[in-house]
């Protein structure tokens, strides 16, 4: 599975652009603000129907225009499949496969899996726990649809329960029966979410550690720990026990909405003790681990989008990442870099087929085959 | 003013290290996790008495040890001044100038101003508004002590007012007189804070824009906008008008605790539309602007700490930053980079005095004078 041709119309800073891609390695080089990352975002759209940076669709329309279109010709199981994403002001987003429009976007998810590593992944280290839960959700829901529904149901119940608690405080009332209805939904869905997350991390951890150890040259010990209130008992019991605390706090103080992932280097949180290069290595290894996981589950090699992946890393780590991506294990890869010299050096060491595109103010030019 | 000699004991990954520094440009190169950024953090401690990454002092002690010490010999107005910062488990942080211990750390602030540009500055773009208010506070309080006291007083009053509002809701009572006491303090201090912030941004904006325009090669238009509720009237009136809303929300919905800075590229928020390279350029220009501002106010050239400053930037921007720092305008500069080749290239173009230190697993070695 790979993307043969990408065509953009009014997408971000691209008025009109087209690229015939290599089925192995594609590099986009160019100055800051030229639109390198926008190309990865376009590919991501074709895979997951949305922006990888949580940008509302309409904001991705080129300034002054009314619509954008991303058109991808994929090679899937010896067939050409045409995937088109079109966004227009005032209309619903259109997403089609071979000219047949999807009624539900979720039906497309999974056809073309993709994994993105980008500098803004540092948010996973620095932001509050909801960012890490979103990462978990994204990871699991790419291959498990029931999971996403559970999360939606859980969040609805949680919202209702919190509204009740606030209302009790404002009206100085208390009704345990009313709470129990929501406890029930939260428990049922919460337990399933907990199991899915635990299982995922159990699988992800060893693969991730293998990659980290390789990239760092076996230099540091890292780990990945899933933390949940539900380690302390069933959610039903826990909700029961926390009633008085919840009443006082006017919100639900226990549940999988408080889950977190802890990123460790040695036995300390990498946020506080890891260097920036170590944090970067951690996040890249995490994404490579995600790649292996999806590949194992779907038997497809996800598209690998590497945005500025060599930044911050020392020469040894850069070299080991290159030797990784040159392996058979990976499929089609997209790399952005502001540094053409570095990309040339990188590709010297790679025997796989590759193409370099020069990006300049929303123009795309093949410079090296 | 410059740092002649830096000595570290049990600081982070340094057991014991010493460096005789150049009064112009100092580069620290080394692999990821070797301890480059820790050196900048040590210098920052000597300037601002604390970690630049909000890390609690004790967590900066080398693992397995009980204390750390940072010892700096500064050249200030033709005299040598010895600044020592010592942190030990179970004891108060000790900070001394020429062997005389400060009774209040705040008395030291301003003696050796410093400006740090670091990749985690992206938090200014991505995090919630409190991060940007903290940036404003840090900037103003380096030269205006009354300001910091106003912020402390404001926050105390705000906390009390919010506690009252919550209490009213829980007990189903309402007492406007009790609120008015806190309204008074919040108004008095809030108005002053508002004026200071407005004045600061008015001064910072043109300098910042000048730097951005230079570094980007005049490629993009940027702006910096200060947003505050207080643009709509006096805080006293606003608090008065918002009473019912506050009562319902159970917290103060108006005030300078909601202030924000908006970072614009063109007329859009750089968070959504700027590329990573543009965001980086924005943040570097902001810090250079901060440098000029402090220099203007204190008539001292702050130490300039540039952590991974060339990352993500295209060749043109890198070159223009180099030409900037080589100018007379700046004083002593500290640069970290994982890429020795890049640093060598950079320094080829610089005629100022410079030293390169190789950092390796907590060891420091002068490799080029």
């Amino acid at each position: 599975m790979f993307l043969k041709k990408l065509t953009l119309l009014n997408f971000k800073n691209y008025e009109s652009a087209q690229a015939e891609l290599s089925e192995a390695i594609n590099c986009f080089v160019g100055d800051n603000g030229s639109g390198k990352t926008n190309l990865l975002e376009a590919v991501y759209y074709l895979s997951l129907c949305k922006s990888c940076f949580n940008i509302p669709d309409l904001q991705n329309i080129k300034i002054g225009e009314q619509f954008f279109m991303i058109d991808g010709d994929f090679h899937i199981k010896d067939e050409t499949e045409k995937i088109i994403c079109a966004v227009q002001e005032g209309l619903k987003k259109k997403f089609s496969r071979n000219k047949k429009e999807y009624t539900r976007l979720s039906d497309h998810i999974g056809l073309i899996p993709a994994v993105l590593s980008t500098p803004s992944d540092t948010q996973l280290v620095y932001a509050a726990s909801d960012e890490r839960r979103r990462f978990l959700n994204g990871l699991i829901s790419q291959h498990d649809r029931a999971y996403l529904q559970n999360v939606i149901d859980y969040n609805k119940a949680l919202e209702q329960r919190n509204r009740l608690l606030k209302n009790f405080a404002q009206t100085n009332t208390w009704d345990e029966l009313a709470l129990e209805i929501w406890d029930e939904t939260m428990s049922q869905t919460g337990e399933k979410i907990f199991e899915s997350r635990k299982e995922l991390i159990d699988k992800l951890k060893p693969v991730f550690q293998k990659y980290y150890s390789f990239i760092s040259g076996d230099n540091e010990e890292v780990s990945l720990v899933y933390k949940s209130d539900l380690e302390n008992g069933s959610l039903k019991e826990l909700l029961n026990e926390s009633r008085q605390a919840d009443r006082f706090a006017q919100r639900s103080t226990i549940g999988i909405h408080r889950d977190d992932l802890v990123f460790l280097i040695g036995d300390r949180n990498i946020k506080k003790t890891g260097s920036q290069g170590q944090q970067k290595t951690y996040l890249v290894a995490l994404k490579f681990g995600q790649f292996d996981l999806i590949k194992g589950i779907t038997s497809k090699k996800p598209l690998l989008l590497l945005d500025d992946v060599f930044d911050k890393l020392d020469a040894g780590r850069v070299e080991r990442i290159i030797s990784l991506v040159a392996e058979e294990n990976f499929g089609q890869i997209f790399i952005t870099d502001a540094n053409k010299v570095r990309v040339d050096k990188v590709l010297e060491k790679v025997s796989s087929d590759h193409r370099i595109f020069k990006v300049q103010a929303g123009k795309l030019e093949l410079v090296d085959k």
Side-chain angles (χ1 to χ4, degrees), chain A residues 2-6 19-22 72-75 79-81 332 355:
Chain A
F2 64 93
L3 178 57
K4 287 196 291 191
K5 193 164 87 178
L6 176 69
E20 308 259 355
L21 299 154
S22 159
D73 288 346
F74 284 87
H75 180 94
E79 303 266 342
T80 294
E81 300 238 16
Q332 192 179 25
R355 294 188 185 180

Side-chain angles (χ1 to χ4, degrees), chain A residues 1-2 74-81 97 111-112:
Chain A
M1 176 197 73
F2 64 93
F74 284 87
H75 180 94
I76 302 176
K77 290 187 190 155
D78 294 325
E79 303 266 342
T80 294
E81 300 238 16
R97 176 178 176 188
L111 180 70
I112 307 159

Side-chain angles (χ1 to χ4, degrees), chain A residues 212-220 320:
Chain A
Y212 190 99
S213 157
F214 179 79
I215 299 173
S216 73
D218 240 339
N219 221 356
E220 300 119 16
R320 286 186 291 271

Side-chain angles (χ1 to χ4, degrees), chain A residues 340-363:
Chain A
K340 171 86 164 65
V341 181
R342 178 161 59 187
V343 165
D344 287 339
K345 264 196 175 170
V346 163
L347 291 178
E348 266 173 27
K349 292 166 190 158
V350 168
S351 61
S352 343
D353 180 57
H354 56 262
R355 294 188 185 180
I356 301 181
F357 296 88
K358 193 175 163 196
V359 185
Q360 202 165 16
K363 298 269 168 232

Side-chain angles (χ1 to χ4, degrees), chain A residues 58 61 66-68 86-94:
Chain A
L58 291 177
I61 298 175
Q66 272 77 51
F67 75 100
F68 77 70
V87 166
Q88 182 162 7
E89 277 176 19
L91 292 181
K92 198 169 126 287
K93 169 158 58 183
K94 281 189 184 168

Side-chain angles (χ1 to χ4, degrees), chain A residues 78-180:
Chain A
D78 294 325
E79 303 266 342
T80 294
E81 300 238 16
K82 198 175 206 35
I83 308 294
I84 294 182
C85 171
V87 166
Q88 182 162 7
E89 277 176 19
L91 292 181
K92 198 169 126 287
K93 169 158 58 183
K94 281 189 184 168
F95 214 92
S96 68
R97 176 178 176 188
N98 300 325
K99 295 192 178 158
K100 193 169 168 300
E101 196 181 331
Y102 284 103
T103 40
R104 289 182 314 180
L105 294 180
S106 60
D107 291 340
H108 177 69
I109 310 293
L111 180 70
I112 307 159
V115 170
L116 166 74
S117 166
T118 165
S120 43
D121 289 341
T122 46
Q123 287 302 309
L124 281 175
V125 172
Y126 283 100
S129 57
D130 55 337
E131 192 72 25
R132 288 177 289 281
R133 287 193 295 277
R134 200 174 305 136
F135 167 70
L136 278 173
N137 290 346
L139 227 165
I140 305 177
S141 57
Q142 271 204 42
H143 60 263
D144 180 350
R145 283 192 201 168
Y147 175 84
L148 197 60
Q149 194 54 52
N150 283 329
V151 172
I152 292 168
D153 293 345
Y154 179 93
N155 285 336
K156 272 188 200 156
L158 172 67
E159 202 188 322
Q160 294 297 336
R161 193 177 189 271
N162 285 345
R163 193 170 296 170
L164 264 186
L165 286 164
K166 191 143 199 188
N167 191 263
F168 290 159
Q170 280 167 345
T171 57
N172 211 2
T173 55
W174 184 244
D175 177 356
E176 301 222 352
L177 270 177
L179 279 181
E180 268 171 25

Side-chain angles (χ1 to χ4, degrees), chain A residues 18-22 25-28 354-359 363-369:
Chain A
Q18 198 167 64
E20 308 259 355
L21 299 154
S22 159
I25 299 181
N26 298 280
C27 293
F28 303 118
H354 56 262
R355 294 188 185 180
I356 301 181
F357 296 88
K358 193 175 163 196
V359 185
K363 298 269 168 232
L364 207 54
E365 185 195 344
L366 178 66
V367 289
D368 184 18
K369 241 186 175 163

